[in-house]
Amino acid sequence: AAPTVHQAEAATVSQGVVESNHAGFTGTGFVNYHNVSGSYAEFTVTAAAAGPTTLTFRFANGTTANRPMDIRVNGALAADDLAFGPTGAWSTWKTASTTATLAAGTNRIRATAVAATGGPNLDSLTIGGPTAGSTPAA
Ligand code: GCU
């Protein structure tokens, strides 16, 4: 299936705000996590079939320190302390990916800040698409 992009500003956010004051985001803005552990954005996505897929988070981190997040799918830990490292500026956006198994139908994908500094600024979550290291189809 073609990758689907889910904007963070449309996610359910706990302890964060939607902002648009740093350029380069897609959609209409991004989620600025509060600088606390436990802040999260939760995406509701639909999968046609159960199975493994790639979760790619687009983010900015203008600090010099990692802002790791736990990634949970339907409540189960899919990635422990996924790294959201420095991107160089709040207007410079990069991606962090992991693989996870989705259920057929509706899935809740939650990215929760682990550190007291909170999460990065989160632009979007893309479901599917190439896994790092895989060979693209000809
Ligand atoms: C700055 C920046 C915010 C960012 C925040 C942070 O205030 O402008 O966009 O979210 O730092 O450290 O989380």
Side-chain angles (χ1 to χ4, degrees):
T4 56
V5 180
H6 303 268
Q7 292 296 332
E9 61 269 28
T12 298
V13 176
S14 175
Q15 301 186 94
V17 288
V18 173
E19 292 180 338
S20 57
N21 59 326
H22 297 296
F25 55 83
T26 62
T28 58
F30 55 84
V31 170
N32 172 354
Y33 283 69
H34 289 176
N35 300 118
V36 292
S37 171
S39 45
Y40 70 79
E42 182 174 278
F43 300 82
T44 301
V45 309
T46 303
T53 190
T54 306
L55 310 181
T56 301
F57 297 89
R58 188 170 189 265
F59 72 99
N61 177 357
T63 76
T64 56
N66 185 22
R67 296 242 177 135
M69 297 204 285
D70 283 345
I71 311 303
R72 287 187 179 79
V73 176
N74 301 322
L77 191 63
D80 188 26
D81 289 1
L82 184 64
F84 291 81
T87 59
W90 290 111
S91 56
T92 300
W93 302 82
K94 295 189 174 176
T95 57
S97 295
T98 190
T99 55
T101 299
L102 301 187
T106 302
N107 293 265
R108 291 175 292 106
I109 301 176
R110 183 182 293 196
T112 305
V114 172
T117 45
N121 287 350
L122 187 64
D123 183 39
S124 66
L125 164 63
T126 298
I127 309 288
T131 305
S134 71
T135 303

